[in-house]
Amino acid sequence: MVWSDPEIKKLSQEFVTAADEVYSLYPEHPDHLKRAAEREDHRFFRRFGEAMPPAHWNEEGTKQGIYMIGPDAEYLEGRFAASGDPADIRARLRRALERWDRMREDKGYANLPVPRRPWSPPLEVEGELILRVNVRDLPRGDGDRSGARRHELPESGSWREFARWAWNEDWVGLSTASAFVPSGSGEVEVDPKVWREVVRKKFIDTVRGQAPEWRADEVKEASLTMRRTEDGRIVYQGRARAEGGGRSFEAKVYGEGVWESAAGRFASFDLVALGTRRGASRFNQRENDPGPAPMGVVLSLSRE
């Protein structure tokens, strides 16, 4: 992650940015690669890769990285696993723009402004209530840097705050917002079916990498109540506990929301879960940090 660097932010505005699951574009498994061979997105990405310096393409393994690609898959710049060094990315963005200037003259490409588009969540996230999910490690005590993204902090710069704690981001879409709106003034339960699905899908340790959702039978507790306050807020309180496959997460939940009845939507909505996670899954990089350790999950209104 280098995108908080001021110069990189400015340079990146010259590009149309995109992100994709690289295994879908260029699978490593021979059978999966064979099935992808005739897809246009794979052919496009493969043509680009074949034009790259071999050491930067990582021919024999995953193609995760940062790549600057021309409109016909031309090589502008890029490198496998290149997200950790701001100075390197700055230099590559500059070289990519220099190559683009030469290429567009040679091929007659138009240098149109990058279109501005309103923010939106990933295409697969749909629903009346869309929440941004942030999950992160929490401090474990004075001098304990186990929850840091990197153990050696940079001396200065915007990268320093990012590296202080490990975190990740996701989204969840709910078909209806009314499940989180009480009809009266007393304390009532949020629809258990809706809340259990949130816990099952999003109360997982993805702080450092990927982890599977909980199976339905692994969600041992998922309770959330709501009540209106005299000043019009909705207050939420509850608990969540899931365990299975050698891992677990148990947390207390607190939240607040403001519902606009006339508009039929939330003006604000935040839920915070603080608890303890244990264990590891195959791709979440907890082999050397199985816990128990504190972890937090935040669900907040995601409109723009």
mmCIF file of all heavy atoms in Angstrom, residues 168-215:
data_model
loop_
_atom_site.group_PDB
_atom_site.id
_atom_site.type_symbol
_atom_site.label_atom_id
_atom_site.label_comp_id
_atom_site.label_asym_id
_atom_site.label_seq_id
_atom_site.Cartn_x
_atom_site.Cartn_y
_atom_site.Cartn_z
ATOM 1 N N ASN A 168 -7.678 -4.149 7.416
ATOM 2 C CA ASN A 168 -8.183 -4.496 6.098
ATOM 3 C C ASN A 168 -9.596 -3.948 5.963
ATOM 4 O O ASN A 168 -10.216 -3.553 6.935
ATOM 5 C CB ASN A 168 -8.172 -6.009 5.883
ATOM 6 C CG ASN A 168 -7.963 -6.381 4.421
ATOM 7 O OD1 ASN A 168 -8.252 -5.594 3.527
ATOM 8 N ND2 ASN A 168 -7.472 -7.585 4.184
ATOM 9 N N GLU A 169 -10.117 -3.944 4.737
ATOM 10 C CA GLU A 169 -11.401 -3.330 4.463
ATOM 11 C C GLU A 169 -12.248 -4.236 3.584
ATOM 12 O O GLU A 169 -11.733 -4.949 2.721
ATOM 13 C CB GLU A 169 -11.197 -1.978 3.777
ATOM 14 C CG GLU A 169 -12.461 -1.175 3.569
ATOM 15 C CD GLU A 169 -12.156 0.203 3.018
ATOM 16 O OE1 GLU A 169 -11.826 0.294 1.812
ATOM 17 O OE2 GLU A 169 -12.250 1.184 3.768
ATOM 18 N N ASP A 170 -13.559 -4.189 3.807
ATOM 19 C CA ASP A 170 -14.493 -5.009 3.038
ATOM 20 C C ASP A 170 -15.839 -4.285 3.037
ATOM 21 O O ASP A 170 -15.966 -3.188 3.574
ATOM 22 C CB ASP A 170 -14.600 -6.397 3.683
ATOM 23 C CG ASP A 170 -15.187 -7.442 2.749
ATOM 24 O OD1 ASP A 170 -15.537 -7.094 1.600
ATOM 25 O OD2 ASP A 170 -15.309 -8.605 3.154
ATOM 26 N N TRP A 171 -16.839 -4.892 2.404
ATOM 27 C CA TRP A 171 -18.190 -4.340 2.390
ATOM 28 C C TRP A 171 -19.185 -5.463 2.597
ATOM 29 O O TRP A 171 -18.907 -6.627 2.312
ATOM 30 C CB TRP A 171 -18.498 -3.664 1.045
ATOM 31 C CG TRP A 171 -17.767 -2.395 0.813
ATOM 32 C CD1 TRP A 171 -18.208 -1.122 1.037
ATOM 33 C CD2 TRP A 171 -16.447 -2.247 0.289
ATOM 34 N NE1 TRP A 171 -17.246 -0.205 0.703
ATOM 35 C CE2 TRP A 171 -16.153 -0.874 0.226
ATOM 36 C CE3 TRP A 171 -15.465 -3.164 -0.142
ATOM 37 C CZ2 TRP A 171 -14.937 -0.382 -0.224
ATOM 38 C CZ3 TRP A 171 -14.262 -2.684 -0.593
ATOM 39 C CH2 TRP A 171 -14.003 -1.304 -0.633
ATOM 40 N N VAL A 172 -20.379 -5.102 3.061
ATOM 41 C CA VAL A 172 -21.476 -6.048 3.138
ATOM 42 C C VAL A 172 -22.755 -5.324 2.722
ATOM 43 O O VAL A 172 -22.975 -4.170 3.107
ATOM 44 C CB VAL A 172 -21.613 -6.654 4.558
ATOM 45 C CG1 VAL A 172 -21.914 -5.603 5.605
ATOM 46 C CG2 VAL A 172 -22.680 -7.748 4.574
ATOM 47 N N GLY A 173 -23.572 -5.971 1.918
ATOM 48 C CA GLY A 173 -24.831 -5.401 1.475
ATOM 49 C C GLY A 173 -26.002 -6.163 2.080
ATOM 50 O O GLY A 173 -26.040 -7.395 2.007
ATOM 51 N N LEU A 174 -26.951 -5.452 2.669
ATOM 52 C CA LEU A 174 -28.129 -6.052 3.282
ATOM 53 C C LEU A 174 -29.357 -5.648 2.485
ATOM 54 O O LEU A 174 -29.511 -4.473 2.109
ATOM 55 C CB LEU A 174 -28.265 -5.601 4.735
ATOM 56 C CG LEU A 174 -27.029 -5.860 5.616
ATOM 57 C CD1 LEU A 174 -27.234 -5.292 7.006
ATOM 58 C CD2 LEU A 174 -26.723 -7.345 5.684
ATOM 59 N N SER A 175 -30.240 -6.597 2.239
ATOM 60 C CA SER A 175 -31.385 -6.348 1.365
ATOM 61 C C SER A 175 -32.343 -5.312 1.933
ATOM 62 O O SER A 175 -33.035 -4.618 1.187
ATOM 63 C CB SER A 175 -32.137 -7.653 1.093
ATOM 64 O OG SER A 175 -32.605 -8.214 2.317
ATOM 65 N N THR A 176 -32.406 -5.185 3.248
ATOM 66 C CA THR A 176 -33.312 -4.215 3.868
ATOM 67 C C THR A 176 -32.642 -3.530 5.047
ATOM 68 O O THR A 176 -31.895 -4.161 5.808
ATOM 69 C CB THR A 176 -34.611 -4.897 4.333
ATOM 70 O OG1 THR A 176 -35.431 -3.932 5.010
ATOM 71 C CG2 THR A 176 -34.322 -6.063 5.275
ATOM 72 N N ALA A 177 -32.915 -2.237 5.196
ATOM 73 C CA ALA A 177 -32.396 -1.487 6.339
ATOM 74 C C ALA A 177 -33.326 -1.591 7.537
ATOM 75 O O ALA A 177 -32.916 -1.345 8.676
ATOM 76 C CB ALA A 177 -32.201 -0.025 5.959
ATOM 77 N N SER A 178 -34.573 -1.975 7.295
ATOM 78 C CA SER A 178 -35.574 -1.959 8.363
ATOM 79 C C SER A 178 -35.259 -2.948 9.486
ATOM 80 O O SER A 178 -35.773 -2.809 10.597
ATOM 81 C CB SER A 178 -36.963 -2.260 7.795
ATOM 82 O OG SER A 178 -36.997 -3.546 7.206
ATOM 83 N N ALA A 179 -34.417 -3.951 9.207
ATOM 84 C CA ALA A 179 -34.043 -4.898 10.260
ATOM 85 C C ALA A 179 -33.339 -4.205 11.409
ATOM 86 O O ALA A 179 -33.324 -4.721 12.535
ATOM 87 C CB ALA A 179 -33.153 -5.994 9.680
ATOM 88 N N PHE A 180 -32.765 -3.024 11.165
ATOM 89 C CA PHE A 180 -32.026 -2.298 12.190
ATOM 90 C C PHE A 180 -32.794 -1.073 12.686
ATOM 91 O O PHE A 180 -32.199 -0.175 13.285
ATOM 92 C CB PHE A 180 -30.665 -1.877 11.645
ATOM 93 C CG PHE A 180 -29.746 -3.039 11.391
ATOM 94 C CD1 PHE A 180 -29.746 -3.681 10.164
ATOM 95 C CD2 PHE A 180 -28.901 -3.508 12.379
ATOM 96 C CE1 PHE A 180 -28.917 -4.764 9.922
ATOM 97 C CE2 PHE A 180 -28.066 -4.581 12.160
ATOM 98 C CZ PHE A 180 -28.072 -5.222 10.919
ATOM 99 N N VAL A 181 -34.116 -1.038 12.441
ATOM 100 C CA VAL A 181 -34.952 0.085 12.864
ATOM 101 C C VAL A 181 -36.070 -0.425 13.761
ATOM 102 O O VAL A 181 -36.962 -1.157 13.297
ATOM 103 C CB VAL A 181 -35.557 0.813 11.651
ATOM 104 C CG1 VAL A 181 -36.372 2.028 12.124
ATOM 105 C CG2 VAL A 181 -34.469 1.259 10.685
ATOM 106 N N PRO A 182 -36.065 -0.079 15.065
ATOM 107 C CA PRO A 182 -37.133 -0.543 15.957
ATOM 108 C C PRO A 182 -38.439 0.184 15.665
ATOM 109 O O PRO A 182 -38.451 1.367 15.323
ATOM 110 C CB PRO A 182 -36.605 -0.202 17.348
ATOM 111 C CG PRO A 182 -35.674 0.936 17.128
ATOM 112 C CD PRO A 182 -35.058 0.723 15.775
ATOM 113 N N SER A 183 -39.542 -0.531 15.813
ATOM 114 C CA SER A 183 -40.848 0.065 15.538
ATOM 115 C C SER A 183 -41.388 0.857 16.721
ATOM 116 O O SER A 183 -42.255 1.717 16.555
ATOM 117 C CB SER A 183 -41.854 -1.025 15.156
ATOM 118 O OG SER A 183 -41.938 -2.010 16.178
ATOM 119 N N GLY A 184 -40.905 0.568 17.920
ATOM 120 C CA GLY A 184 -41.364 1.287 19.107
ATOM 121 C C GLY A 184 -40.215 1.857 19.892
ATOM 122 O O GLY A 184 -39.085 1.975 19.392
ATOM 123 N N SER A 185 -40.492 2.185 21.157
ATOM 124 C CA SER A 185 -39.460 2.805 21.990
ATOM 125 C C SER A 185 -38.753 1.800 22.890
ATOM 126 O O SER A 185 -37.708 2.110 23.464
ATOM 127 C CB SER A 185 -40.083 3.900 22.863
ATOM 128 O OG SER A 185 -41.118 3.350 23.675
ATOM 129 N N GLY A 186 -39.304 0.597 23.037
ATOM 130 C CA GLY A 186 -38.684 -0.396 23.896
ATOM 131 C C GLY A 186 -37.543 -1.126 23.213
ATOM 132 O O GLY A 186 -37.333 -1.019 21.999
ATOM 133 N N GLU A 187 -36.801 -1.886 24.010
ATOM 134 C CA GLU A 187 -35.680 -2.662 23.482
ATOM 135 C C GLU A 187 -36.208 -3.910 22.774
ATOM 136 O O GLU A 187 -36.998 -4.667 23.330
ATOM 137 C CB GLU A 187 -34.733 -3.057 24.602
ATOM 138 C CG GLU A 187 -33.475 -3.765 24.118
ATOM 139 C CD GLU A 187 -32.501 -4.043 25.242
ATOM 140 O OE1 GLU A 187 -32.703 -5.041 25.946
ATOM 141 O OE2 GLU A 187 -31.557 -3.251 25.410
ATOM 142 N N VAL A 188 -35.769 -4.091 21.528
ATOM 143 C CA VAL A 188 -36.182 -5.255 20.747
ATOM 144 C C VAL A 188 -34.947 -5.869 20.083
ATOM 145 O O VAL A 188 -33.886 -5.249 20.009
ATOM 146 C CB VAL A 188 -37.226 -4.889 19.664
ATOM 147 C CG1 VAL A 188 -38.522 -4.416 20.307
ATOM 148 C CG2 VAL A 188 -36.672 -3.819 18.724
ATOM 149 N N GLU A 189 -35.120 -7.059 19.565
ATOM 150 C CA GLU A 189 -34.014 -7.776 18.954
ATOM 151 C C GLU A 189 -33.935 -7.487 17.460
ATOM 152 O O GLU A 189 -34.958 -7.464 16.769
ATOM 153 C CB GLU A 189 -34.195 -9.277 19.176
ATOM 154 C CG GLU A 189 -32.988 -10.113 18.833
ATOM 155 C CD GLU A 189 -33.176 -11.576 19.191
ATOM 156 O OE1 GLU A 189 -34.329 -11.990 19.438
ATOM 157 O OE2 GLU A 189 -32.165 -12.299 19.216
ATOM 158 N N VAL A 190 -32.727 -7.245 16.972
ATOM 159 C CA VAL A 190 -32.509 -7.177 15.534
ATOM 160 C C VAL A 190 -32.800 -8.557 14.955
ATOM 161 O O VAL A 190 -32.489 -9.581 15.582
ATOM 162 C CB VAL A 190 -31.061 -6.746 15.214
ATOM 163 C CG1 VAL A 190 -30.765 -6.861 13.729
ATOM 164 C CG2 VAL A 190 -30.825 -5.315 15.693
ATOM 165 N N ASP A 191 -33.410 -8.612 13.797
ATOM 166 C CA ASP A 191 -33.748 -9.882 13.161
ATOM 167 C C ASP A 191 -32.558 -10.847 13.262
ATOM 168 O O ASP A 191 -31.504 -10.613 12.665
ATOM 169 C CB ASP A 191 -34.097 -9.637 11.693
ATOM 170 C CG ASP A 191 -34.581 -10.881 10.968
ATOM 171 O OD1 ASP A 191 -34.286 -12.003 11.430
ATOM 172 O OD2 ASP A 191 -35.228 -10.747 9.924
ATOM 173 N N PRO A 192 -32.700 -11.943 14.033
ATOM 174 C CA PRO A 192 -31.560 -12.848 14.241
ATOM 175 C C PRO A 192 -30.987 -13.402 12.946
ATOM 176 O O PRO A 192 -29.765 -13.591 12.833
ATOM 177 C CB PRO A 192 -32.162 -13.965 15.100
ATOM 178 C CG PRO A 192 -33.347 -13.356 15.763
ATOM 179 C CD PRO A 192 -33.895 -12.373 14.778
ATOM 180 N N LYS A 193 -31.842 -13.662 11.960
ATOM 181 C CA LYS A 193 -31.358 -14.210 10.690
ATOM 182 C C LYS A 193 -30.416 -13.231 10.002
ATOM 183 O O LYS A 193 -29.350 -13.608 9.492
ATOM 184 C CB LYS A 193 -32.531 -14.544 9.788
ATOM 185 C CG LYS A 193 -32.127 -15.186 8.469
ATOM 186 C CD LYS A 193 -33.347 -15.538 7.636
ATOM 187 C CE LYS A 193 -32.932 -16.157 6.302
ATOM 188 N NZ LYS A 193 -34.125 -16.487 5.468
ATOM 189 N N VAL A 194 -30.799 -11.945 9.997
ATOM 190 C CA VAL A 194 -29.958 -10.922 9.355
ATOM 191 C C VAL A 194 -28.643 -10.767 10.105
ATOM 192 O O VAL A 194 -27.554 -10.741 9.503
ATOM 193 C CB VAL A 194 -30.706 -9.573 9.295
ATOM 194 C CG1 VAL A 194 -29.782 -8.465 8.791
ATOM 195 C CG2 VAL A 194 -31.936 -9.685 8.406
ATOM 196 N N TRP A 195 -28.716 -10.668 11.432
ATOM 197 C CA TRP A 195 -27.509 -10.424 12.219
ATOM 198 C C TRP A 195 -26.555 -11.616 12.164
ATOM 199 O O TRP A 195 -25.339 -11.445 12.088
ATOM 200 C CB TRP A 195 -27.886 -10.076 13.642
ATOM 201 C CG TRP A 195 -26.706 -9.820 14.532
ATOM 202 C CD1 TRP A 195 -26.379 -10.474 15.674
ATOM 203 C CD2 TRP A 195 -25.682 -8.841 14.342
ATOM 204 N NE1 TRP A 195 -25.229 -9.969 16.214
ATOM 205 C CE2 TRP A 195 -24.776 -8.957 15.407
ATOM 206 C CE3 TRP A 195 -25.458 -7.867 13.363
ATOM 207 C CZ2 TRP A 195 -23.661 -8.152 15.534
ATOM 208 C CZ3 TRP A 195 -24.331 -7.061 13.487
ATOM 209 C CH2 TRP A 195 -23.453 -7.206 14.551
ATOM 210 N N ARG A 196 -27.081 -12.833 12.204
ATOM 211 C CA ARG A 196 -26.220 -14.015 12.125
ATOM 212 C C ARG A 196 -25.451 -14.046 10.809
ATOM 213 O O ARG A 196 -24.285 -14.457 10.770
ATOM 214 C CB ARG A 196 -27.039 -15.300 12.279
ATOM 215 C CG ARG A 196 -27.506 -15.580 13.689
ATOM 216 C CD ARG A 196 -28.236 -16.912 13.773
ATOM 217 N NE ARG A 196 -27.306 -18.025 13.597
ATOM 218 C CZ ARG A 196 -26.617 -18.582 14.570
ATOM 219 N NH1 ARG A 196 -26.726 -18.129 15.814
ATOM 220 N NH2 ARG A 196 -25.815 -19.604 14.334
ATOM 221 N N GLU A 197 -26.079 -13.614 9.720
ATOM 222 C CA GLU A 197 -25.392 -13.593 8.436
ATOM 223 C C GLU A 197 -24.264 -12.570 8.420
ATOM 224 O O GLU A 197 -23.203 -12.798 7.835
ATOM 225 C CB GLU A 197 -26.379 -13.307 7.302
ATOM 226 C CG GLU A 197 -27.139 -14.517 6.827
ATOM 227 C CD GLU A 197 -26.205 -15.576 6.257
ATOM 228 O OE1 GLU A 197 -25.764 -15.435 5.101
ATOM 229 O OE2 GLU A 197 -25.900 -16.554 6.979
ATOM 230 N N VAL A 198 -24.483 -11.426 9.074
ATOM 231 C CA VAL A 198 -23.405 -10.430 9.174
ATOM 232 C C VAL A 198 -22.227 -11.014 9.935
ATOM 233 O O VAL A 198 -21.069 -10.906 9.504
ATOM 234 C CB VAL A 198 -23.913 -9.147 9.858
ATOM 235 C CG1 VAL A 198 -22.749 -8.191 10.113
ATOM 236 C CG2 VAL A 198 -24.971 -8.463 8.998
ATOM 237 N N VAL A 199 -22.506 -11.645 11.067
ATOM 238 C CA VAL A 199 -21.438 -12.255 11.869
ATOM 239 C C VAL A 199 -20.747 -13.359 11.080
ATOM 240 O O VAL A 199 -19.509 -13.452 11.055
ATOM 241 C CB VAL A 199 -22.014 -12.813 13.193
ATOM 242 C CG1 VAL A 199 -20.952 -13.610 13.946
ATOM 243 C CG2 VAL A 199 -22.528 -11.668 14.066
ATOM 244 N N ARG A 200 -21.518 -14.197 10.421
ATOM 245 C CA ARG A 200 -20.941 -15.327 9.689
ATOM 246 C C ARG A 200 -20.011 -14.864 8.563
ATOM 247 O O ARG A 200 -18.941 -15.445 8.352
ATOM 248 C CB ARG A 200 -22.061 -16.187 9.103
ATOM 249 C CG ARG A 200 -21.574 -17.484 8.460
ATOM 250 C CD ARG A 200 -22.719 -18.286 7.882
ATOM 251 N NE ARG A 200 -23.246 -17.688 6.663
ATOM 252 C CZ ARG A 200 -22.683 -17.838 5.463
ATOM 253 N NH1 ARG A 200 -21.560 -18.530 5.327
ATOM 254 N NH2 ARG A 200 -23.226 -17.280 4.398
ATOM 255 N N LYS A 201 -20.397 -13.819 7.867
ATOM 256 C CA LYS A 201 -19.652 -13.399 6.688
ATOM 257 C C LYS A 201 -18.526 -12.409 6.979
ATOM 258 O O LYS A 201 -17.517 -12.386 6.261
ATOM 259 C CB LYS A 201 -20.602 -12.773 5.667
ATOM 260 C CG LYS A 201 -21.593 -13.743 5.052
ATOM 261 C CD LYS A 201 -22.489 -13.038 4.050
ATOM 262 C CE LYS A 201 -23.439 -14.011 3.367
ATOM 263 N NZ LYS A 201 -24.316 -13.327 2.384
ATOM 264 N N LYS A 202 -18.677 -11.574 8.025
ATOM 265 C CA LYS A 202 -17.756 -10.452 8.186
ATOM 266 C C LYS A 202 -17.002 -10.403 9.508
ATOM 267 O O LYS A 202 -16.049 -9.638 9.639
ATOM 268 C CB LYS A 202 -18.516 -9.132 7.990
ATOM 269 C CG LYS A 202 -19.164 -9.023 6.622
ATOM 270 C CD LYS A 202 -18.153 -9.203 5.489
ATOM 271 C CE LYS A 202 -18.806 -9.291 4.136
ATOM 272 N NZ LYS A 202 -17.822 -9.544 3.050
ATOM 273 N N PHE A 203 -17.386 -11.197 10.487
ATOM 274 C CA PHE A 203 -16.633 -11.210 11.739
ATOM 275 C C PHE A 203 -15.534 -12.273 11.647
ATOM 276 O O PHE A 203 -15.496 -13.242 12.406
ATOM 277 C CB PHE A 203 -17.558 -11.476 12.920
ATOM 278 C CG PHE A 203 -18.298 -10.256 13.397
ATOM 279 C CD1 PHE A 203 -18.770 -9.315 12.498
ATOM 280 C CD2 PHE A 203 -18.525 -10.036 14.741
ATOM 281 C CE1 PHE A 203 -19.449 -8.178 12.916
ATOM 282 C CE2 PHE A 203 -19.205 -8.905 15.187
ATOM 283 C CZ PHE A 203 -19.669 -7.976 14.272
ATOM 284 N N ILE A 204 -14.642 -12.069 10.700
ATOM 285 C CA ILE A 204 -13.564 -13.011 10.421
ATOM 286 C C ILE A 204 -12.232 -12.266 10.403
ATOM 287 O O ILE A 204 -12.185 -11.063 10.152
ATOM 288 C CB ILE A 204 -13.790 -13.760 9.085
ATOM 289 C CG1 ILE A 204 -14.033 -12.762 7.944
ATOM 290 C CG2 ILE A 204 -14.954 -14.732 9.197
ATOM 291 C CD1 ILE A 204 -14.239 -13.409 6.590
ATOM 292 N N ASP A 205 -11.162 -13.000 10.652
ATOM 293 C CA ASP A 205 -9.834 -12.389 10.759
ATOM 294 C C ASP A 205 -9.189 -12.263 9.378
ATOM 295 O O ASP A 205 -8.416 -13.095 8.944
ATOM 296 C CB ASP A 205 -8.953 -13.239 11.683
ATOM 297 C CG ASP A 205 -7.550 -12.671 11.823
ATOM 298 O OD1 ASP A 205 -7.329 -11.519 11.397
ATOM 299 O OD2 ASP A 205 -6.683 -13.385 12.358
ATOM 300 N N THR A 206 -9.532 -11.156 8.705
ATOM 301 C CA THR A 206 -8.920 -10.843 7.412
ATOM 302 C C THR A 206 -7.938 -9.683 7.538
ATOM 303 O O THR A 206 -7.624 -9.023 6.548
ATOM 304 C CB THR A 206 -9.995 -10.492 6.373
ATOM 305 O OG1 THR A 206 -10.805 -9.411 6.880
ATOM 306 C CG2 THR A 206 -10.885 -11.690 6.082
ATOM 307 N N VAL A 207 -7.448 -9.428 8.746
ATOM 308 C CA VAL A 207 -6.582 -8.277 8.986
ATOM 309 C C VAL A 207 -5.359 -8.297 8.065
ATOM 310 O O VAL A 207 -4.993 -7.288 7.466
ATOM 311 C CB VAL A 207 -6.138 -8.242 10.459
ATOM 312 C CG1 VAL A 207 -5.080 -7.156 10.677
ATOM 313 C CG2 VAL A 207 -7.333 -7.991 11.364
ATOM 314 N N ARG A 208 -4.734 -9.449 7.933
ATOM 315 C CA ARG A 208 -3.492 -9.541 7.157
ATOM 316 C C ARG A 208 -3.655 -10.309 5.838
ATOM 317 O O ARG A 208 -2.719 -10.400 5.055
ATOM 318 C CB ARG A 208 -2.405 -10.234 7.991
ATOM 319 C CG ARG A 208 -1.949 -9.435 9.190
ATOM 320 C CD ARG A 208 -0.918 -10.206 9.994
ATOM 321 N NE ARG A 208 -0.412 -9.412 11.100
ATOM 322 C CZ ARG A 208 0.620 -8.583 11.018
ATOM 323 N NH1 ARG A 208 1.249 -8.444 9.874
ATOM 324 N NH2 ARG A 208 1.023 -7.904 12.076
ATOM 325 N N GLY A 209 -4.811 -10.887 5.620
ATOM 326 C CA GLY A 209 -4.978 -11.673 4.405
ATOM 327 C C GLY A 209 -6.372 -12.279 4.331
ATOM 328 O O GLY A 209 -7.302 -11.823 4.987
ATOM 329 N N GLN A 210 -6.506 -13.321 3.542
ATOM 330 C CA GLN A 210 -7.807 -13.929 3.307
ATOM 331 C C GLN A 210 -8.127 -14.986 4.358
ATOM 332 O O GLN A 210 -7.245 -15.688 4.838
ATOM 333 C CB GLN A 210 -7.828 -14.570 1.913
ATOM 334 C CG GLN A 210 -7.632 -13.570 0.788
ATOM 335 C CD GLN A 210 -7.515 -14.246 -0.560
ATOM 336 O OE1 GLN A 210 -7.241 -15.436 -0.660
ATOM 337 N NE2 GLN A 210 -7.725 -13.482 -1.615
ATOM 338 N N ALA A 211 -9.421 -15.086 4.695
ATOM 339 C CA ALA A 211 -9.901 -16.119 5.612
ATOM 340 C C ALA A 211 -11.312 -16.494 5.182
ATOM 341 O O ALA A 211 -12.075 -15.635 4.743
ATOM 342 C CB ALA A 211 -9.900 -15.626 7.058
ATOM 343 N N PRO A 212 -11.680 -17.749 5.300
ATOM 344 C CA PRO A 212 -13.019 -18.167 4.872
ATOM 345 C C PRO A 212 -14.096 -17.664 5.822
ATOM 346 O O PRO A 212 -13.852 -17.446 7.008
ATOM 347 C CB PRO A 212 -12.928 -19.698 4.894
ATOM 348 C CG PRO A 212 -11.871 -19.998 5.907
ATOM 349 C CD PRO A 212 -10.874 -18.891 5.793
ATOM 350 N N GLU A 213 -15.295 -17.488 5.282
ATOM 351 C CA GLU A 213 -16.442 -17.173 6.124
ATOM 352 C C GLU A 213 -16.697 -18.335 7.080
ATOM 353 O O GLU A 213 -16.304 -19.471 6.828
ATOM 354 C CB GLU A 213 -17.687 -16.949 5.257
ATOM 355 C CG GLU A 213 -17.553 -15.797 4.285
ATOM 356 C CD GLU A 213 -18.733 -15.706 3.332
ATOM 357 O OE1 GLU A 213 -19.568 -16.656 3.324
ATOM 358 O OE2 GLU A 213 -18.826 -14.710 2.598
ATOM 359 N N TRP A 214 -17.372 -18.057 8.187
ATOM 360 C CA TRP A 214 -17.775 -19.110 9.103
ATOM 361 C C TRP A 214 -18.889 -19.938 8.473
ATOM 362 O O TRP A 214 -19.743 -19.401 7.771
ATOM 363 C CB TRP A 214 -18.276 -18.524 10.422
ATOM 364 C CG TRP A 214 -17.287 -17.684 11.151
ATOM 365 C CD1 TRP A 214 -17.285 -16.325 11.265
ATOM 366 C CD2 TRP A 214 -16.137 -18.146 11.880
ATOM 367 N NE1 TRP A 214 -16.206 -15.910 12.014
ATOM 368 C CE2 TRP A 214 -15.487 -17.005 12.412
ATOM 369 C CE3 TRP A 214 -15.602 -19.412 12.147
ATOM 370 C CZ2 TRP A 214 -14.337 -17.084 13.176
ATOM 371 C CZ3 TRP A 214 -14.450 -19.496 12.914
ATOM 372 C CH2 TRP A 214 -13.830 -18.345 13.423
ATOM 373 N N ARG A 215 -18.881 -21.225 8.727
ATOM 374 C CA ARG A 215 -20.038 -22.038 8.381
ATOM 375 C C ARG A 215 -21.189 -21.687 9.325
ATOM 376 O O ARG A 215 -20.962 -21.181 10.425
ATOM 377 C CB ARG A 215 -19.729 -23.526 8.487
ATOM 378 C CG ARG A 215 -18.651 -24.024 7.552
ATOM 379 C CD ARG A 215 -18.729 -25.558 7.454
ATOM 380 N NE ARG A 215 -18.867 -26.179 8.772
ATOM 381 C CZ ARG A 215 -17.859 -26.639 9.498
ATOM 382 N NH1 ARG A 215 -16.617 -26.554 9.043
ATOM 383 N NH2 ARG A 215 -18.068 -27.196 10.689
#
